[in-house]
Structures are given as structure tokens and as C-alpha cells.
């Protein structure tokens, strides 16, 4: 959400236009009845929503749902235990670089790597695992740090997912020459790690998967540009 677009004067939706928890639960309940089995809470930053564990509890009560959440991780030290107790099963945490200076430059919010790592540790202690670490890779910005990121989480039980930089409309000034393809990333990683391909965990899985030979965890790559998976 670049500040030059979404600044102090940007007119967001009034609160009356935002779905209440009861409305969200109703939508999910109807979707579940039509065959939907996986629900992800995302954002913006979902942990900023007041009393989020209440929504998680309402959704978990629907039953037979794979209930997950994507977050920047900063508020997890305060909320991970309550979210797990409410019925949250898994989380994805956004961490574009393990280098603090690079990460601060990318998030433009004064958030350091240590804060996110503390959130990941809190989520792990609460049983929200395996945790997926999502990194959007941008050429000339953080692409030279993917080996360090993968190495940091090797053996942790967490899954690093490297995501091709994608166009999201008019808000991120996207250019195709900023895209580092999954094939390029794999070439770089295979110089440092002994990797083996994995079959999809389920039909239609978005990420292509590899694992460290002999153990040490899993890596996923999301080919949002080089091999599109949506019409």
C-alpha cells in the first residue's frame, strides 16, 4: 500500500460498508455448504482487526474447514496463543528478506526482521505449524538474499515460499524486468543446496515444491508470472 497512493487523505470504505464478523461467517458457511473447504484470512493486515480470535472461533465452529491466516507477523507475539486456541490451524508470514536494512526498505513501515522472527517463534510455540514464510522477490532489491533466507530457515520445519513479483494493478509500479523467475531462483539455490523436486501436496497447488535432500525442510516457488496458474 504505497504511501503516495494510500496516504492520510485516501478515502477508505466507511466502517458500515465493511463486512461484520457475523456476515463473514455467513458467507463462509454458505460457501462451505457449496463445497469450499479452505478459508484464508488475509488483508491488509488481518491482525489489526479488533477481536480477530472471535472471528476465528466463529469460522472454526462451522467445522471441517482448513483455516489459515496470512500476516506480517508483528502482532503474533501478543495474539498467536489466542488465535490457536480459537481454532486457527496454520499461518503464512510475509518476510521478504532476512537482511534487516533490505527488509526495512521494502516494508517502509519501520519494521525490523527481529520483530517478524519473534512473531514466527510465537506462532511456532502456539502450535501454528508448519509456518510458511512468504517472500516476494524483486530484481535489484532482494533477489541477492534468497540463499540467506532459505539457509536461515533450513532445518526449522518452516517452509520458505519464494514468489515472483506480480502486477497488482496500479499501486505497485510493477515492471516486467523486475521479475525474477522461479527458474532463475532455482538455478541460484541449486548452486548452494542439494534440492529434490516434490509432487504437489494436493490438486491445483499454486507453489512448485522442492526439499533439501537428506532433510532440512521444504522450499516452494510461486510462478505467478513465468507460468501463470489463473485464467
Amino acid at each position: 500500500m504505497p504511501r503516495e497512493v494510500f496516504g492520510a487523505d485516501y478515502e477508505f470504505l466507511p466502517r458500515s460498508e465493511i463486512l461484520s464478523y457475523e456476515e463473514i461467517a455467513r458467507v463462509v458457511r454458505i460457501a462451505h455448504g457449496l463445497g469450499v473447504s479452505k478459508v484464508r484470512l488475509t488483508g491488509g493486515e488481518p491482525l489489526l482487526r479488533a477481536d480477530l480470535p472471535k472471528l476465528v472461533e466463529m469460522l472454526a465452529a462451522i467445522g471441517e474447514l482448513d483455516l489459515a491466516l496470512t500476516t506480517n507477523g508483528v502482532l503474533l507475539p501478543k495474539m498467536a496463543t489466542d488465535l490457536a486456541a480459537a481454532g486457527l490451524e496454520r499461518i503464512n508470514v510475509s518476510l521478504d528478506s532476512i537482511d534487516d536494512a533490505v527488509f526495512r526498505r521494502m516494508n517502509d513501515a519501520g519494521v525490523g526482521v527481529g520483530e517478524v522472527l519473534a512473531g514466527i517463534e510465537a506462532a511456532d510455540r502456539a502450535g501454528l505449524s508448519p509456518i510458511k514464510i512468504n517472500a516476494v522477490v524483486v530484481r535489484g532489491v532482494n533477489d541477492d538474499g534468497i540463499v540467506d533466507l532459505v539457509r536461515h530457515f533450513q532445518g526449522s520445519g518452516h517452509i520458505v515460499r519464494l514468489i515472483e513479483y506480480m502486477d497488482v494493478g496500479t499501486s505497485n509500479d510493477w515492471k516486467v524486468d523486475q521479475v525474477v523467475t522461479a527458474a532463475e531462483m532455482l538455478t541460484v539455490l541449486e548452486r548452494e543446496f542439494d534440492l529434490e523436486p516434490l509432487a504437489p501436496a494436493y490438486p491445483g497447488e499454486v507453489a512448485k515444491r522442492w526439499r533439501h535432500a537428506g532433510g532440512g525442510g521444504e522450499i516452494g516457488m510461486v510462478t505467478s508470472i513465468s507460468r501463470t496458474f489463473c485464467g
Side-chain angles (χ1 to χ4, degrees):
M1 311 247 327
R3 296 175 193 274
E4 62 269 21
V5 178
F6 302 98
D9 297 329
Y10 187 84
E11 192 169 326
F12 290 94
L13 284 174
R15 182 170 293 276
S16 61
E17 293 296 313
I18 298 172
L19 291 179
S20 68
Y21 285 175
E22 289 75 16
E23 289 169 326
I24 293 172
R26 182 178 180 225
V27 169
V28 171
R29 192 176 298 109
I30 293 169
H32 181 251
L34 297 172
V36 170
S37 60
K38 184 175 182 178
V39 172
R40 178 177 303 282
L41 301 173
T42 178
E45 174 47 53
L47 299 190
L48 290 174
R49 190 99 186 240
D51 299 320
L52 186 67
K54 177 183 176 184
L55 174 61
V56 171
E57 188 174 10
M58 293 167 70
L59 298 181
I62 294 171
E64 297 182 358
L65 281 178
D66 177 6
L67 190 54
L69 179 144
T70 297
T71 173
N72 63 28
V74 174
L75 295 177
L76 282 173
K78 297 179 179 178
M79 299 180 65
T81 299
D82 289 343
L83 289 167
L88 187 67
E89 297 175 349
R90 297 182 295 104
I91 63 165
N92 289 19
V93 177
S94 300
L95 181 62
D96 295 323
S97 177
I98 203 69
D99 181 290
D100 193 71
V102 173
F103 182 62
R104 287 177 184 270
R105 187 163 67 248
M106 292 185 75
N107 67 55
D108 190 31
V111 175
V113 169
E115 295 174 73
V116 180
L117 293 179
I120 292 170
E121 292 171 6
D124 195 23
R125 288 194 302 271
L128 297 171
S129 58
I131 296 166
K132 292 179 180 176
I133 314 297
N134 287 351
V136 176
V137 181
V138 184
R139 190 180 305 279
V141 180
N142 65 335
D143 55 321
D144 60 350
I146 62 172
V147 168
D148 291 339
L149 183 68
V150 169
R151 184 175 287 118
H152 181 88
F153 290 104
Q154 187 177 4
S156 66
H158 307 324
I159 300 167
V160 175
R161 297 211 310 183
L162 304 172
I163 303 169
E164 292 177 351
Y165 184 45
M166 68 186 81
D167 188 5
V168 291
T170 59
S171 66
N172 69 339
D173 197 27
W174 181 88
K175 296 179 179 63
V176 69
D177 58 6
Q178 295 174 301
V179 176
V180 182
T181 67
E184 291 177 88
M185 289 188 269
L186 183 60
T187 297
V188 170
L189 293 177
E190 285 185 325
R191 294 184 192 133
E192 301 291 331
F193 307 105
D194 186 8
L195 301 178
E196 301 173 341
L198 288 171
Y202 52 87
E205 184 174 23
V206 168
K208 305 292 186 287
R209 304 166 63 221
W210 286 263
R211 68 181 175 191
H212 294 279
E218 179 183 322
I219 301 165
M221 296 189 197
V222 179
T223 58
S224 46
I225 301 299
S226 66
R227 190 174 296 178
T228 56
F229 41 79
C230 292

